C-alpha cells in the first residue's frame, strides 16, 4: 500500500493519466520468486560500476533481467542508497503519462520534486523542470526502468536520454530491455559511462543451474542430469525454470532430460505446454481465455469468461507461481509474464481460434461500459467486429484527432483502408488522411487525399476537409506557389461552422501570408483560427495558430513575445496524457530556435532532443532545417565539430532522400558558415558553390521562409567576401538588402544584415561608420535579447563591439543606453575597459588575434588543465570522450607552437588567455 506521502505526491502530479488509471503498480518492484538464486557475479559487476551513468541489461525474454535488477535494487536499499523502480508499458508512449510516472518515481528519491512541478503543463516544460531538479540533487541514487522495449515514442526516449546526460555524480539509471534502446549508447560507451550486461552474462553457469535445480527447486537430479540440462538450455533461465516445473513428480527425470535439446522457442513451447497440460481443465481454460488481456482483474476476467470465480482463480495462479505478476499492492490487478502470455495466445489460436472474436467482443463491451473508448475499439478491431468498431471510430475519431493521437489512428485505420472497410465511412478516410499527415508526413498522406478526391464524396463536411488538406499538404512539402491560390479559393468555400477544418485552413493561410510578407494578414488569420478553438477542444489547432503568430513575431523582431507565445503553443498540444506531442513539433522546434536566439542554448538543445526524432519521421521542411541547423550550432559552440558535421550530413541526406533541394542547400549553407568561422576559406568557397540553384535563392530571398529568413546564399557570399578581403564589393548590395528588409518589416533579417554591413565597413577601413552601424543594431537587439545573432558572427564583430563599448554615447539614443551597455557587456562576457578610441581599437585587434586563435572549447580545456585535472577528469567535466580531450590538447599545441601541456599553459598565460 502506498504511504500517505506517496499518495500526496501523486495527487500533485499533472492531470496526466486516463480516468481510472493508477501509478502505484508501476512504481512497485515485482515480488521476487521463492526459488530465485543469487546472481552474485552479475550483481557485483553492477555494484562495482560506480562511474557508469547507464547500466543496460539487454537480453530476450526469460533471461532473468528483472530478477537481476530486483537483486541489485535490494542490495542498494540494504546499503542505504536511495533506489526507485518504474515498470514501463505501451501506455507510456503517451508522453504526459510517461512524465507523470517518471515524476512519481523520482519523487521517491528527491523529496518535494512532484510539488515543485506544479504549473508546468507542456511535456517539454515539465520534462526539463524534472531533469533540472534531478541534476541539482546533491546525493547519489539509482533509478530502475524495466521493460524499456515498451517505450517506442522518440520524444519519451529523448527525455530519458537527456535525463542520463544530466544525472548528478554517483546517480545511475539501470535499464532492462529486450533490445538496444536509442539512448546514445555509443557515446556513453566512448566516455566510459556505460555498463552493458548482455545475454551471455545473464546465462546461468553450471554451478548456478545446479543450485537452482537441486537446492531451490528440490529436484532429485544426478550431476550428469544437471550438466546435460544446462548444456541443452545453454543456461537460459526461463528454460531451466520450465524444465524444473516439468520435472516435478517425475519418476525418471534423466529420461525426460534426454528427450529434448536446444534452448530455442520450440523448447520453451514444449516445456510450457507440459506445464499447461498438468493444470486442471478449469485453470487451463482461464489461462487461455484471459491471455488476450493486457490487464487482469476479477471483473474484466469474469466478463470475458462469462463466470464469477475469476478472483479465486487469480489468487490460485499467483500462489502456484504461474507467471503471474501482481500490479497492485492489494493483489487486485495482475498481468502475465510477457513470454508466458505469448505462448498462451499461440495455444489459444491453435486450439480455440473460433472463441477469440467472442473474447475480444466481451472485453470491448466491458471497456465500453466504463467509457474507455481506446481499449474498447482496440478489442473490437481485434475481434474483427467492424459493426461495432467502425461506428465507435466514427464517433471518437475526430476527437482523437483533435487530441493529437495520430499514431494510434493511423495504426488502426491503415489496415481498414486496405481492406475497403472504410468505403462506407468517408469521414474516417478523412481522419485517416489527417492522422497519416502528422504521423508519417504530408507526402504519405497525399496519396490518401488523391483517393478521396477520386471518390468526390458529396458530403459537404468531407468536401471541406478535402479542400483544406490540399493547400496544407502543398505548403508542408515546400510547394508554396501552388498552395497560395488553392488556400484562398478553399477558404471561400468551406462552411464557417466546421471549426476544425476552418481552423486548420486559417493556420495554413497565416503561414502562407507570412511567407508572402503580408504580416497583418498572417496575424488576422492566426486570430481567426484561435478564436474558433478552445484550448481543450482542439489543442492541435490552437497550438498551430499560436505558433503561426509567434512566427510573425520572430520575423518582425519581437523575440520575447514569440517565446511567450511558443511556450503556450507547446503546452496547448499536451493538456493531458492521452494527447500526443507529435503535432507539437511544429511549435516545439520554433521555440527551440527562439530560445537559441536568446542565448538559452541548454533549453534549446533539450527541446531538440525531444522533437528532432519526431520531425524526421514527419519530414516537414521548415522544421527539419531549423532544428538541424540550431542543433549543429549548439554542437559547434561546445567545440564538438564532429557532432555538428554529423547533424548537417543527416539533414543533407534527408533532403536528398525526399527530393527537397532547399533542405540540401540549407545544410550546405550552414556548413559554409562554420567553415568561415574556422577560417577554412577555400573549403567554404567550394561548399558555397554547391549550395544550389541561384535562381532558387533569388526567389527564397524575397520570401519570409522561416528556415531561410536570415541565412540565404547572398548573405553567405557576403560573409565569405568580408573574410577574404573583398568587403568593399558587398557594402552596396548589403545596404540595398538592408533597406529592402526594413521596408518589408523583416527586422530579424535586418539585424543580421546590419551586423554583416558593420563588418564589411570595418574591413574597408570605414571604422566610424562600422561602429555606428553596430550601435544601431545593439539598440534594437538589446530590448528583445537577440544574443546569438551577435555571437554567431565570430571574432571580428567582437572587435567592433569592444570599440563601441569604449564609446558609450553612441548607444545612449532611444532611452536604452544603460540596457544597451549591459547587453554589450553580456556579449563580451566581461566589461571592457573605458579606454580611448585608438587604444580600444588596438586592444580590440589584439583580442581578435587571441579569440580567432583558440576556440571557446579549447580555452575551456586550457582553463581546466590549469587546475591540474587529468585527461580523464577533463573528459568527465566536459562530458566528452577522453580521445576528444587529447584532440583539443593537440590542437592547442599546434596553435600555440608548444610541445606539451606545461608549455601550452605557460604560453596561454603569457598571452593573457588564462589567469
Amino acid at each position: 500500500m502506498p504511504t500517505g506521502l506517496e499518495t500526496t505526491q501523486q495527487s500533485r502530479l499533472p492531470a496526466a493519466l486516463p480516468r481510472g488509471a493508477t501509478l502505484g503498480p508501476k512504481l512497485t518492484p515485482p515480488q521476487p520468486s521463492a526459488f530465485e538464486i543469487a546472481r552474485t557475479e552479475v550483481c557485483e559487476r553492477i555494484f562495482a560500476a560506480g562511474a557508469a551513468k547507464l547500466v543496460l541489461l539487454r537480453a530476450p525474454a526469460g533471461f532473468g533481467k528483472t530478477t537481476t535488477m530486483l537483486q541489485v535494487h535490494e542490495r542498494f536499499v540494504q546499503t542505504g542508497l536511495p533506489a526507485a523502480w518504474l515498470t514501463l508499458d505501451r501506455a507510456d508512449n503517451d508522453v504526459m503519462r510517461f512524465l507523470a510516472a517518471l515524476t512519481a518515481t523520482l519523487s521517491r528519491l528527491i523529496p518535494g520534486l512532484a510539488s515543485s512541478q506544479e504549473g508546468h503543463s507542456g511535456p517539454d516544460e515539465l520534462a526539463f523542470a524534472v531533469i533540472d531538479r534531478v541534476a541539482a540533487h546533491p546525493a547519489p541514487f539509482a533509478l530502475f526502468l524495466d521493460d524499456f522495449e515498451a517505450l517506442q515514442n522518440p520524444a519519451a526516449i529523448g527525455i530519458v536520454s537527456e535525463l542520463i546526460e544530466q544525472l548528478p555524480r554517483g546517480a545511475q539509471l539501470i535499464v532492462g530491455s529486450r533490445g538496444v534502446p536509442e539512448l546514445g549508447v555509443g557515446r556513453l560507451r566512448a566516455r566510459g559511462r556505460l555498463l552493458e550486461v548482455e545475454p551471455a552474462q545473464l546465462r546461468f553457469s553450471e554451478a548456478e543451474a545446479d543450485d537452482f535445480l537441486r537446492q531451490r527447486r528440490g529436484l532429485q537430479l544426478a550431476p550428469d542430469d544437471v550438466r546435460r540440462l544446462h548444456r541443452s538450455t545453454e543456461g537460459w533461465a526461463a528454460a531451466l525454470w520450465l524444465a524444473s516445473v516439468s520435472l516435478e513428480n517425475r519418476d525418471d527425470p534423466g529420461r525426460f532430460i534426454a528427450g529434448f535439446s536446444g534452448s530455442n522457442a520450440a523448447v520453451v513451447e514444449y516445456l510450457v505446454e507440459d506445464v499447461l497440460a498438468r493444470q486442471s481443465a478449469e485453470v487451463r481454460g482461464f489461462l487461455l481465455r484471459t491471455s488476450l488481456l493486457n490487464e487482469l482483474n476479477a471483473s474484466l476476467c469474469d466478463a470475458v469468461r462469462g463466470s464469477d470465480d475469476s478472483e479465486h482463480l487469480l489468487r490460485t495462479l499467483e500462489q502456484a507461481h504461474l507467471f503471474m505478476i501482481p500490479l497492485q499492492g492489494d493483489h487486485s490487478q495482475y498481468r502475465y509474464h510477457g513470454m508466458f502470455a505469448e505462448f498462451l495466445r499461440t495455444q489459444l489460436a491453435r486450439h480455440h481460434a473460433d472463441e477469440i472474436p467472442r473474447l475480444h467482443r466481451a472485453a470491448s463491451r466491458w471497456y465500453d461500459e466504463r467509457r474507455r473508448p481506446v481499449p474498447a475499439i482496440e478489442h473490437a478491431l481485434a475481434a474483427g467486429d467492424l459493426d461495432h468498431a467502425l461506428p465507435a471510430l466514427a464517433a471518437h475519431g475526430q476527437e482523437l484527432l483533435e487530441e493529437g493521437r495520430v499514431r494510434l489512428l493511423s495504426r488502426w485505420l491503415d489496415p481498414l483502408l486496405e481492406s475497403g472497410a472504410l468505403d462506407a465511412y468517408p469521414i474516417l478516410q478523412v481522419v485517416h488522411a489527417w492522422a497519416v499527415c502528422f504521423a508519417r508526413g504530408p507526402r504519405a498522406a497525399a496519396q490518401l487525399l488523391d483517393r478521396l478526391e477520386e471518390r468526390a464524396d458529396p458530403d459537404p463536411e468531407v468536401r471541406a476537409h478535402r479542400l483544406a488538406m490540399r493547400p496544407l499538404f502543398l505548403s508542408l512539402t515546400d510547394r508554396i506557389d501552388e498552395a497560395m491560390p488553392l488556400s484562398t479559393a478553399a477558404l471561400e468555400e468551406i462552411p464557417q461552422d466546421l471549426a476544425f477544418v476552418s481552423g486548420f485552413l486559417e493556420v495554413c493561410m497565416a503561414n502562407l501570408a507570412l511567407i508572402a510578407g503580408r504580416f497583418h494578414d498572417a496575424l488576422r488569420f492566426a486570430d481567426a483560427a484561435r478564436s474558433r478553438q478552445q484550448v481543450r477542444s482542439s489543442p492541435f489547432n490552437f497550438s498551430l495558430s499560436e505558433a503561426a503568430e509567434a512566427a510573425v513575431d520572430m520575423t518582425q523582431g519581437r523575440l520575447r513575445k514569440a517565446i511567450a507565445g511558443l511556450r503556450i503553443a507547446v503546452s496547448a498540444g499536451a493538456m493531458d496524457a492521452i494527447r500526443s506531442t507529435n503535432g507539437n513539433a511544429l511549435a516545439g522546434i520554433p521555440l527551440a530556435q527562439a530560445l537559441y536566439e536568446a542565448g538559452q542554448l541548454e533549453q534549446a538543445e533539450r527541446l531538440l532532443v525531444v522533437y528532432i526524432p519526431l520531425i524526421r519521421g514527419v519530414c516537414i521542411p521548415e522544421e527539419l532545417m531549423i532544428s538541424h541547423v540550431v542543433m549543429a550550432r549548439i554542437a559547434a559552440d561546445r567545440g564538438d565539430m564532429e557532432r555538428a558535421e554529423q547533424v548537417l550530413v543527416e539533414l543533407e541526406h534527408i533532403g536528398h532522400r525526399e527530393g527537397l533541394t532547399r533542405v540540401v542547400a540549407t545544410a550546405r549553407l550552414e556548413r559554409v558558415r562554420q567553415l568561415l568561422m574556422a577560417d577554412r576559406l577555400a573549403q567554404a568557397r567550394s561548399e558555397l558553390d554547391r549550395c544550389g540553384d541561384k535562381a532558387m535563392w533569388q526567389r527564397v530571398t524575397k520570401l519570409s521562409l522561416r528556415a531561410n529568413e536570415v541565412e540565404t546564399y547572398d548573405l553567405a557570399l557576403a560573409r565569405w567576401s568580408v573574410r577574404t578581403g573583398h568587403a568593399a564589393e558587398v557594402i552596396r548590395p548589403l545596404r540595398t538588402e538592408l533597406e529592402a528588409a526594413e521596408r518589408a518589416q523583416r527586422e530579424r533579417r535586418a539585424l543580421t544584415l546590419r551586423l554583416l554591413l558593420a563588418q564589411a565597413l570595418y574591413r574597408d577601413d570605414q571604422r566610424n561608420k562600422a561602429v555606428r552601424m553596430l550601435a544601431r543594431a545593439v539598440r534594437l537587439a538589446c530590448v528583445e535579447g537577440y544574443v546569438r545573432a551577435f555571437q554567431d558572427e565570430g571574432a571580428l564583430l567582437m572587435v567592433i563591439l569592444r570599440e563601441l563599448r569604449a564609446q558609450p554615447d553612441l548607444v545612449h539614443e532611444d532611452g536604452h543606453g544603460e540596457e544597451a551597455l549591459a547587453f554589450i557587456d553580456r556579449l563580451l562576457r566581461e566589461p571592457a575597459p573605458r579606454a580611448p578610441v585608438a587604444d580600444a581599437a588596438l586592444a580590440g585587434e589584439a583580442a581578435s588575434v587571441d579569440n580567432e586563435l583558440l576556440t571557446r572549447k579549447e580555452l575551456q580545456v586550457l582553463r581546466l588543465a590549469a587546475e591540474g585535472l587529468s585527461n580523464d577528469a577533463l573528459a568527465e567535466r566536459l562530458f566528452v570522450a577522453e580521445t576528444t580531450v587529447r584532440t583539443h590538447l593537440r590542437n592547442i599545441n599546434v596553435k600555440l607552437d608548444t610541445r606539451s601541456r606545461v608549455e601550452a599553459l605557460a604560453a596561454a598565460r603569457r598571452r593573457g588567455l588564462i589567469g
Side-chain angles (χ1 to χ4, degrees):
M1 293 292 290
T3 67
L5 173 62
E6 290 162 351
T7 304
T8 302
Q9 288 173 335
Q10 288 190 31
S11 69
R12 289 172 176 166
L13 294 173
L17 294 173
R19 187 181 296 110
T22 60
L23 286 173
K26 296 167 61 63
L27 311 185
T28 305
Q31 296 297 311
S33 165
F35 305 111
E36 71 178 40
I37 66 168
R39 306 306 312 275
T40 305
E41 185 176 341
V42 177
C43 290
E44 286 297 336
R45 285 192 67 214
I46 298 174
F47 301 147
K53 286 193 170 188
L54 173 64
V55 176
L56 174 61
L57 293 89
R58 176 180 59 81
F63 270 79
K65 298 185 296 296
T66 301
T67 297
T68 303
M69 291 170 68
L70 285 170
Q71 292 180 10
V72 174
H73 179 273
E74 181 62 23
R75 172 70 175 271
F76 282 156
V77 171
Q78 289 175 355
T79 57
L81 181 72
W85 186 283
L86 175 60
T87 301
L88 299 167
D89 55 52
R90 287 179 60 188
D92 291 314
N93 287 295
D94 284 320
V95 173
M96 288 300 284
R97 175 192 166 96
F98 170 69
L99 284 171
L102 184 64
T103 303
T105 308
L106 288 167
S107 295
R108 298 184 170 190
L109 303 170
I110 304 173
L113 182 141
S115 59
S116 71
Q117 309 314 311
E118 294 174 358
H120 300 297
S121 56
D124 63 295
E125 189 178 350
L126 175 59
F128 302 135
V130 169
I131 290 169
D132 285 343
R133 188 67 184 273
V134 170
H137 188 60
F141 61 81
L143 173 62
F144 291 77
L145 299 182
D146 199 14
D147 293 343
F148 197 86
E149 68 279 354
L151 207 62
Q152 298 294 320
N153 189 325
I157 294 172
I159 290 167
V160 177
S161 182
E162 180 67 14
L163 177 64
I164 294 170
E165 289 294 323
Q166 300 299 325
L167 284 175
R169 184 181 294 274
Q172 285 185 324
L173 188 65
I174 294 93
V175 169
S177 177
R178 294 189 183 185
V180 179
E182 297 290 333
L183 292 176
V185 170
R187 185 174 67 256
L188 291 167
R189 185 185 297 117
R191 287 157 45 186
R193 294 292 181 264
L194 172 69
L195 173 65
E196 296 173 272
V197 180
E198 298 179 330
Q201 295 152 343
L202 286 168
R203 296 183 188 277
F204 278 22
S205 66
E206 187 176 325
E208 287 174 324
D210 185 271
D211 183 20
F212 172 69
L213 293 168
R214 299 207 294 175
Q215 302 301 319
R216 299 286 177 175
R217 298 291 285 130
L219 299 175
Q220 300 300 312
L221 299 177
D224 284 346
D225 289 335
V226 173
R227 189 174 303 111
R228 188 181 302 116
L229 189 57
H230 176 261
R231 184 170 59 249
S232 62
T233 61
E234 298 181 1
W236 187 1
L240 285 167
W241 162 256
L242 294 168
S244 74
V245 176
S246 295
L247 284 166
E248 288 179 327
N249 303 316
R250 286 188 183 271
D251 295 330
D252 189 356
R255 183 176 180 181
F256 170 81
I257 291 170
F260 72 93
S261 62
S263 59
N264 55 26
V267 171
V268 174
E269 184 170 328
Y270 167 68
L271 292 172
V272 178
E273 190 167 351
D274 186 67
V275 172
L276 193 65
R278 300 174 67 184
Q279 307 304 316
S280 68
E282 182 183 36
V283 169
R284 284 201 306 273
F286 179 90
L287 290 170
L288 293 176
R289 288 166 180 81
T290 58
S291 64
L292 297 175
L293 304 174
N294 292 322
E295 57 180 314
L296 304 172
N297 62 64
S299 174
L300 176 57
C301 292
D302 281 345
V304 168
R305 297 172 56 241
S307 63
D308 59 3
D309 59 348
S310 296
E311 183 173 358
H312 167 71
L313 287 170
L314 284 169
R315 295 291 176 89
T316 300
L317 289 170
E318 183 187 9
Q319 292 167 7
H321 306 291
L322 277 180
F323 302 97
M324 296 286 294
I325 300 173
L327 300 178
Q328 298 277 21
D330 60 0
H331 291 244
S332 62
Q333 289 268 102
Y334 302 84
R335 69 174 175 88
Y336 291 122
H337 185 284
M339 185 184 66
F340 191 48
E342 290 173 11
F343 166 76
L344 291 175
R345 289 166 189 160
T346 300
Q347 296 301 305
L348 179 64
R350 179 180 298 172
H351 300 295
H352 305 285
D354 57 325
E355 290 191 43
I356 292 176
R358 177 184 63 78
L359 298 172
H360 277 300
R361 280 195 294 269
S364 181
R365 286 194 298 271
W366 188 88
Y367 282 113
D368 260 337
E369 290 169 1
R370 285 150 184 82
R371 297 182 180 179
R372 294 177 62 181
V374 171
I377 293 171
E378 191 86 61
H379 279 288
L381 289 172
D385 186 2
L386 298 187
D387 289 342
H388 178 71
L390 287 170
L393 268 167
H396 296 284
Q398 290 194 71
E399 178 186 352
L400 292 171
L401 176 63
E402 291 175 2
E403 291 171 350
R405 301 205 69 179
V406 293
R407 292 175 183 269
L408 177 70
L409 287 167
S410 59
R411 176 170 64 84
W412 281 347
L413 295 172
D414 282 348
L416 296 178
L417 182 76
E418 294 171 6
S419 69
L422 298 185
D423 289 350
Y425 290 87
I427 196 64
L428 283 181
Q429 296 178 51
V430 165
V431 168
H432 185 215
W434 283 115
V436 168
C437 175
F438 290 104
R440 300 201 298 272
R443 291 174 182 267
Q447 300 175 10
L448 303 178
L449 179 57
D450 290 342
R451 292 181 60 168
L452 277 169
E453 291 179 338
E454 287 173 6
R455 291 175 57 92
D457 191 279
D459 184 282
E461 184 175 3
V462 173
R463 183 171 181 274
H465 278 279
R466 291 198 336 255
L467 289 173
M469 281 183 203
R470 180 63 70 185
L472 176 66
F473 290 2
L474 289 171
S475 66
L476 292 179
T477 51
D478 219 20
R479 296 163 66 182
I480 306 301
D481 293 339
E482 298 173 66
M484 286 182 175
L486 283 180
S487 61
T488 303
L491 194 61
E492 295 175 356
E493 295 190 50
I494 289 177
Q496 295 301 298
D497 59 340
L498 296 177
F500 178 81
V501 183
S502 297
F504 255 112
L505 184 56
E506 283 160 344
V507 168
C508 181
M509 293 287 289
N511 283 298
L512 290 171
L514 166 67
I515 291 168
R518 295 184 284 109
F519 303 130
H520 178 76
D521 288 341
L523 293 174
R524 178 169 57 84
F525 284 124
D527 279 340
R530 190 163 45 243
S531 67
R532 295 179 185 280
Q533 312 296 336
Q534 297 297 320
V535 175
R536 289 188 176 275
S537 67
S538 182
F540 226 24
N541 267 337
F542 188 91
S543 174
L544 294 178
S545 60
E546 286 285 347
E549 179 168 334
V552 177
D553 291 330
M554 285 277 287
T555 302
Q556 295 193 308
R558 297 183 291 273
L559 180 60
R560 297 186 191 280
K561 184 172 180 290
I563 290 174
L566 286 166
R567 288 194 186 281
I568 293 172
V570 170
S571 300
M575 297 301 293
D576 56 50
I578 63 174
R579 296 181 178 177
S580 167
T581 64
N582 202 28
N584 268 349
L586 300 177
I589 288 171
L591 177 56
Q593 180 189 28
L595 291 170
Y596 175 83
E597 291 272 21
Q600 300 178 44
L601 272 61
E602 197 169 306
Q603 291 187 44
E605 182 180 22
R606 289 173 170 184
L607 281 165
L608 294 175
V609 165
V610 174
Y611 290 116
I612 281 180
L614 293 175
I615 207 62
R616 281 178 181 163
V618 181
C619 200
I620 296 173
E622 298 303 319
E623 275 62 40
L624 267 177
M625 291 183 278
I626 290 170
S627 59
H628 286 73
V629 166
V630 172
M631 185 64 96
R633 291 191 180 187
I634 292 171
D637 184 80
R638 292 179 174 169
D640 190 352
M641 302 311 298
E642 182 179 349
R643 171 62 176 153
E645 179 59 23
Q646 178 187 346
V647 172
L648 294 178
V649 168
E650 288 171 354
L651 177 61
E652 196 171 351
H653 173 73
I654 294 171
H656 283 303
R657 186 189 69 205
E658 301 295 329
L660 298 169
T661 57
R662 185 162 64 96
V663 171
V664 174
T666 297
R668 291 174 176 171
L669 271 190
E670 180 57 24
R671 188 177 292 116
V672 169
R673 197 193 66 81
Q674 295 197 2
L675 288 168
L676 288 173
M677 293 285 286
D679 277 333
R680 296 162 65 183
L681 305 180
Q683 287 178 268
R685 180 69 225 202
S686 176
E687 192 71 14
L688 186 59
D689 291 339
R690 301 175 63 235
C691 281
D693 184 1
K694 292 182 181 179
M696 177 195 76
W697 285 114
Q698 288 175 355
R699 169 179 165 271
V700 167
T701 301
K702 296 175 183 177
L703 301 173
S704 289
L705 293 159
R706 288 178 293 118
N708 299 111
E709 176 61 13
V710 175
E711 299 301 334
T712 61
Y713 178 87
D714 288 343
L715 263 68
L717 180 59
R719 278 203 190 94
W720 183 85
S721 299
V722 170
R723 288 273 184 158
T724 56
H726 302 281
E729 299 172 9
V730 297
I731 290 174
R732 184 181 295 275
L734 284 173
R735 286 192 186 280
T736 301
E737 282 293 322
L738 176 57
E739 291 168 2
E742 289 175 331
R743 284 196 304 271
Q745 297 180 315
R746 296 170 67 180
E747 288 301 326
R748 177 59 189 88
R749 178 174 175 81
L751 174 59
T752 293
L753 285 166
R754 291 187 190 100
L755 300 181
L756 276 172
L757 185 52
Q759 294 174 77
L761 290 166
Y762 195 89
R763 287 293 194 196
D764 195 43
D765 289 329
Q766 302 182 54
R767 296 193 172 189
N768 287 336
K769 289 184 178 180
V771 173
R772 290 183 179 278
M773 178 63 67
L774 185 57
R776 186 180 180 195
V778 166
R779 289 197 302 272
L780 294 171
C782 72
V783 176
E784 296 294 335
Y786 277 101
V787 172
R788 294 305 304 189
F790 292 78
Q791 293 176 340
D792 286 349
E793 290 300 320
L796 177 58
L797 192 68
M798 295 299 109
V799 171
I800 311 171
L801 205 57
R802 286 189 180 90
E803 294 197 17
L804 175 59
R805 183 62 177 85
Q807 304 177 61
D809 290 345
L810 292 178
V811 295
H812 271 276
E813 299 178 17
D814 303 332
H816 295 293
E818 294 305 318
E819 187 177 358
L821 290 175
F823 181 70
I824 294 173
D825 290 343
R826 177 185 176 186
L827 294 173
L828 295 175
R829 298 183 179 271
E830 59 184 13
R834 294 181 181 273
V837 176
D839 291 342
L842 292 173
E845 292 286 9
S848 170
V849 173
D850 287 337
N851 281 341
E852 291 181 325
L853 188 61
L854 297 181
T855 67
R856 187 175 304 148
K857 181 63 74 174
E858 288 164 353
L859 287 170
Q860 188 178 6
V861 169
L862 269 180
R863 292 185 184 110
L864 292 174
E867 297 177 14
L869 298 179
S870 67
N871 285 2
D872 285 338
L874 281 169
E876 181 174 353
R877 185 78 66 89
L878 295 169
F879 299 102
V880 297
E882 193 266 341
T883 54
T884 302
V885 170
R886 291 203 304 267
T887 300
H888 283 312
L889 291 171
R890 185 168 58 250
N891 291 340
I892 290 168
N893 279 327
V894 170
K895 291 180 178 181
L896 297 182
D897 193 24
T898 55
R899 291 172 295 178
S900 68
R901 179 189 295 209
V902 173
E903 288 184 12
L905 290 172
R909 287 191 175 98
R910 285 196 304 271
R911 291 172 177 266
L913 297 175
I914 59 176

